[in-house]
Structures are given as structure tokens and as C-alpha cells.
Amino acid sequence: MEESIWWSALADLGFVSQMEDQFEVHRRLGRRAGRVGRVDRDSCVVHLPAPERAALGGLAVATGDWVALDGEGADLRVGAVAPRRSSFVRRAAGVGDRPQVVAANIDWVAVTIGVDNPRGHRALHRYLTVTRDGGAEPLVVISKADLVTRETLEAVMAAASPGSAAVVAVSARTGEGLDELRSLGLGRAQTMALVGPSGAGKSTLVNTLMGVDLLATGSVRNDKKGRHTTTHRELLVVPSGGVIIDTPGMRELGIWMDREAVAHAFPDLEALAGHCRFRDCAHDLEPGCAVRAAADSGSLAPERLLAWRQLDLEAASLDARRGDLAARQREKLRWKRLSIEQRRQLDESRRRG
């Protein structure tokens, strides 16, 4: 394939001209650029632009990463991972504290919540905070718009409006809102990640945008928690333009950020906090609390204040655990160095004796 045609084909995968300099050194080494479409245990599917399987060789990659590849055919392997310009990162589920990159190099994160699922609405601020912390633009997608009346839908959209983020109501059945969604986040070389709770209708939405049933879909359970249909993160090239990264439904979204990052995500509350009487105000029962006064007056939505408090507490707890871990690691290193020094002194003493 001629180089100009090859670069053009990569643009359909989200490759932008600014990235050419990053890959120049790899191109000189005979490596090819590709984008990770799916990650398995010890290999990944990578688009070159046609999808091929490549060995990971011990490198950690995420869906959406740009990589430099060595070899051909069955010997294809990832040789290097390009720096990420944005990502959606959560605290991995399970025991221990570690980050999990859900999607990398994304322009938009479409936080998808079903109009019939109040659980997703309660977690909205959490999704938006994680999105902004990762450097992508948030977009709120209210799915299944055809299930309710226009009046109810407008009320849901108003309640979901988080200020600077756009809100789009869509229906995969009627086609409502799909053109608006495409125009916002699915231009050429743009990547949109779909995230949200199980049962939000992400797979149905992806199938509609792709124009073919690629992903299995399922109904929402009676408890409104939703069923997992997508089981892995996958990058898909939309025929009409743009790239979608579909993600499994999240029963919970643990944050991986510090308190300062949470504060940056709530600039309005931080500004209010600056007017509190006490510098260390907890915004609870203290007199002269500007934040609580705003909530009491109705100028600050109570759910936004609750989300801020919850995320700040969670980040503080994570900071403390990471601080304890760092302290333990420093102590372990100190004892290791002491042990090495003691052995050195013992060996020196034996040589002298």
C-alpha cells in the first residue's frame, strides 16, 4: 500500500497528523503503526487498518492504544505503545488498588443511561468526573427515548444536564437523535467511547450506528440492574465515519484519582467553598458554610453536592491507602538496602580475617 494511502486509511481509525512525528522513529525501524481493537490474555487484535492478531510480548495495552508493530503474519507482535492523549480510567474491580484503562485515545465519552433506569442517573456525575479527569469530552446520551412521553423525556434530560456537557436523547428503534450523536462525536478521525451501567442500551445503539447486528443485546432485569451483553472492550470503525469503543456495562465505577482531581471536576463547588467561614469547612454542620447555604437556597443541586462529597471521600480514602502502600514500599526498600550493606560488611570482614 502506498504510504499516502496507508496514512489515509489509518485516519479512519482515528490517526491524526500530529501523531506522525511520534511514529517517525518506529517507521525508520521498519515498524508499522496500528490501533488496538481488542485485548485478550497474551495477544490483541490490532487494526493495520485491516484487523490482525499480534502478540503482546509482556507489554500492557488497552483498547484504543496506538502501537508500533514488529514482524509479519503469525510473528506479528507489539514492539512499543505510543503515549496516550486521553483515557477513561477506573479503579479495577476486585481486591487491591490498581487502575484499569477502559479506553484510550478517545475524543468523546458518551455516558449512556437508559431513560428507564434511575440507577444510571445517580451515577452520572461519577462518570462525568472520570471522563474529564482522563482528558476526553463528556457527552450524556439518554437512550430508549421512545419508551416515555416527550414531557417525561424533557424532564429527564433537564435533570441529567450537568452544565457544560451536551445531552442527547436517542432511540435506536425510531432513529431519534442519531444524526445529532453522529455530528457531535463521530467525525472522521474521531473516537467515541460508550460507557454506562448494564442495560443502558449501548450494544443496541452500537448495532444501529454500525448498520448491522454485531453485538448481542439483552433486556433489563426486573430489578433495573441490567444484563451484561458486551463482555469485552472492542473498537469498531463506523461505516459513516468515526470510531466507537464499546465497553461492558459497569455495575460500579470506582475512581482512580486524587482529591485535587476531584476538586478540578467541580469548579463551581470549589469556588463556593472559598467563601466558607472556616478554611477546613466540611460543608456539613459548620456555621457560615457557603456550600450548604447554596444547597439550602436551591442554587446548588443536592445531587451534585452529594456526588462531590462521595467522590471526595472516596479519593481521600484512596490517597490514604496509596500513601500507606508507598510508606510500606519505602520501608521494604530501606530494609533491603540495610540487608545488602550488612552482607557487604560481613563479606569484607571475612576477607580481612
Side-chain angles (χ1 to χ4, degrees), residues 86-294:
S86 62
S87 59
F88 187 93
V89 183
R90 70 171 185 173
R91 182 168 58 82
V95 180
D97 291 321
R98 58 185 179 86
Q100 180 187 58
V101 181
V102 176
N105 300 306
I106 43 183
D107 300 287
W108 295 87
V109 174
V111 183
T112 309
I113 52 179
V115 72
D116 58 340
N117 186 1
R119 289 171 58 88
H121 296 262
R122 291 196 293 269
L124 179 60
H125 286 290
R126 179 175 293 265
Y127 280 98
L128 297 177
T129 301
V130 174
T131 297
R132 290 193 172 98
D133 183 60
E137 287 293 324
L139 173 65
V140 181
V141 177
I142 308 296
S143 64
K144 310 177 187 180
D146 56 286
L147 296 183
V148 296
T149 64
R150 174 55 54 179
E151 182 180 8
T152 299
L153 180 61
E154 290 177 354
V156 170
M157 292 179 67
S161 177
S164 60
V167 182
V168 181
V170 301
S171 168
R173 188 178 67 84
T174 67
E176 178 182 354
L178 295 180
D179 287 341
E180 183 180 1
L181 181 60
R182 291 188 185 98
S183 65
L184 280 172
L186 285 175
R188 191 166 189 248
Q190 284 193 312
T191 300
M192 181 172 68
L194 266 64
V195 302
S198 303
K202 296 187 300 299
S203 295
T204 300
L205 181 57
V206 170
N207 287 340
T208 303
L209 292 170
M210 293 294 295
V212 61
D213 289 342
L214 293 176
L215 307 175
T217 60
S219 58
V220 175
R221 293 172 4 187
N222 291 333
D223 58 7
K224 300 296 183 183
K225 289 186 177 180
R227 305 177 192 273
H228 289 295
T229 50
T230 297
T231 58
H232 54 268
R233 294 172 286 279
E234 187 161 2
L235 182 148
L236 302 166
V237 182
V238 182
S240 59
V243 173
I244 289 176
I245 296 180
D246 184 43
T247 69
M250 300 179 190
R251 295 278 168 80
E252 60 182 41
L253 176 61
I255 63 171
W256 187 262
M257 64 182 73
D258 56 25
R259 296 186 72 185
E260 184 178 356
V262 171
H264 285 321
F266 292 83
D268 53 337
L269 275 77
E270 287 297 308
L272 284 171
H275 296 286
C276 291
R277 182 183 302 176
F278 302 107
R279 182 173 297 180
D280 60 347
C281 183
H283 318 302
D284 189 8
L285 300 177
E286 295 86 349
C289 175
V291 173
R292 192 159 47 84

